[in-house]
């Protein structure tokens, strides 16, 4: 193994409370939506791309209305995440620091453009990662973005760490091993290895 590619939400951090606050700030000002979102609403969208999230959270809105709401929510979300960050899982930086001394580290997440940059800015962890990708920049699926990072960085033996069924499917698409972050948001029945905490990655690797 020469490298580790990470999912972000539910794997490295839990951003839901920050994101929820940002989105509800926008929703309160909208005449199209009658009720605010809950943490449970967001937990059900983890691992999905933004167009899938918008359909799931706002099923009664027309497509143009959903796009406008999502755009506004993401703009507010990014500015708040940059300032406040999310909840890092225990000892994330220590684990990343140790892993980065042995392996090349990357992030591939199903997020909008600017989201990973906001994560970097709020928690100052960019120094541990060599590259990242997301569908907001490429328009590609997570599996395709994993392959893009592999090809772009000439990786020969990477693994993918994530917490959802979509992460498993993306790793399988890219034909690389999948490590299931059991502590995250999703339920996955198949995996090559699993960890019960972020710290446990040090034991696995």
């Amino acid at each position: 193994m020469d490298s580790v590619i990470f999912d972000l939400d539910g794997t490295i951090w839990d951003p839901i409370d920050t994101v929820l606050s940002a989105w509800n700030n926008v929703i309160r000002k909208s005449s199209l939506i009658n009720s605010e979102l809950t943490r449970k609403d967001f937990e059900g969208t983890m691992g999905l791309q933004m167009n899938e999230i918008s359909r799931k959270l706002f099923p009664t809105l027309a497509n143009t209305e959903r796009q406008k709401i999502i755009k506004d929510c993401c703009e507010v979300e990014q500015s708040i995440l940059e300032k406040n960050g999310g909840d890092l899982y225990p000892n994330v930086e220590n684990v990343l620091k140790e892993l980065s001394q042995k392996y090349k580290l990357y992030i591939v997440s199903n997020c909008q453009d600017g989201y990973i940059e906001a994560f970097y800015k709020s928690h100052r962890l960019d120094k541990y990662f060599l590259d990242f990708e997301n569908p907001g920049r490429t328009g590609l699926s997570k599996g395709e973005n994993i392959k893009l990072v592999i090809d772009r960085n000439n990786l020969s033996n990477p693994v993918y760490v994530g917490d959802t069924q979509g992460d498993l499917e993306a790793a399988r698409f890219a034909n690389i091993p999948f490590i299931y972050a059991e502590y995250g948001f999703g339920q996955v029945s198949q995996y090559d290895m699993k960890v019960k905490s972020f710290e446990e990655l040090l034991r696995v690797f």
Side-chain angles (χ1 to χ4, degrees):
M1 187 179 73
D2 66 337
S3 51
V4 185
I5 307 173
F6 291 93
D7 172 51
L8 183 50
D9 296 346
T11 301
I12 295 176
W13 73 346
D14 176 349
I16 290 181
D17 290 340
T18 304
V19 172
L20 186 62
S21 174
W23 283 45
N24 280 333
N25 282 341
V26 174
I27 287 171
R28 290 186 199 105
K29 301 173 185 176
S30 172
S31 60
L32 299 174
I33 305 171
N34 297 323
S35 59
E36 295 184 9
L37 297 170
T38 67
R39 182 179 174 88
K40 186 175 181 180
D41 292 329
F42 266 100
E43 288 176 349
T45 68
M46 291 296 104
L48 301 179
Q49 288 201 18
M50 197 54 64
N51 61 337
E52 297 171 307
I53 291 173
S54 68
R55 288 197 298 269
K56 189 163 186 175
L57 293 180
F58 309 119
T60 62
L61 298 185
N63 186 53
T64 54
E65 295 170 338
R66 279 200 305 266
Q67 289 178 349
K68 176 65 167 59
I69 287 287
I70 288 292
K71 180 177 180 293
D72 293 344
C73 285
C74 287
E75 287 177 356
V76 174
E77 167 192 305
Q78 185 168 324
S79 65
I80 294 179
L81 277 175
E82 286 179 356
K83 295 175 184 176
N84 301 333
D87 293 325
L88 292 178
Y89 290 114
N91 294 317
V92 158
E93 182 162 13
N94 290 336
V95 173
L96 291 175
K97 183 177 181 180
E98 190 165 338
L99 288 178
S100 67
Q101 295 171 5
K102 301 176 183 178
Y103 307 103
K104 300 173 182 177
L105 307 184
Y106 305 88
I107 294 177
V108 173
S109 175
N110 265 349
C111 59
Q112 69 272 22
D113 191 21
Y115 185 85
I116 297 174
E117 294 92 326
F119 161 73
Y120 284 162
K121 187 171 183 178
S122 61
H123 294 288
R124 300 177 182 176
L125 296 175
D126 51 302
K127 58 190 172 185
Y128 300 114
F129 297 97
L130 299 176
D131 195 5
F132 68 89
E133 202 50 270
N134 59 71
R137 291 204 308 189
T138 66
L140 301 174
S141 69
K142 180 172 278 190
E144 291 169 321
N145 280 325
I146 291 173
K147 292 186 73 172
L148 183 62
V149 166
I150 291 171
D151 293 342
R152 192 161 65 203
N153 294 279
N154 298 311
L155 306 182
S156 60
N157 192 20
V159 299
Y160 190 69
V161 182
D163 67 305
T164 67
Q165 181 69 23
D167 292 334
L168 166 67
E169 293 168 0
R172 295 290 186 256
F173 179 87
N175 197 31
I176 63 173
F178 174 67
I179 297 177
Y180 171 38
E182 189 179 36
Y183 56 86
F185 299 123
Q187 297 292 322
V188 180
S189 58
Q190 296 181 352
Y191 43 81
D192 297 292
M193 289 179 281
K194 71 174 178 178
V195 291
K196 295 182 178 180
S197 69
F198 197 81
E199 282 183 299
E200 197 176 339
L201 289 171
L202 293 178
R203 180 189 61 78
V204 169
F205 296 141

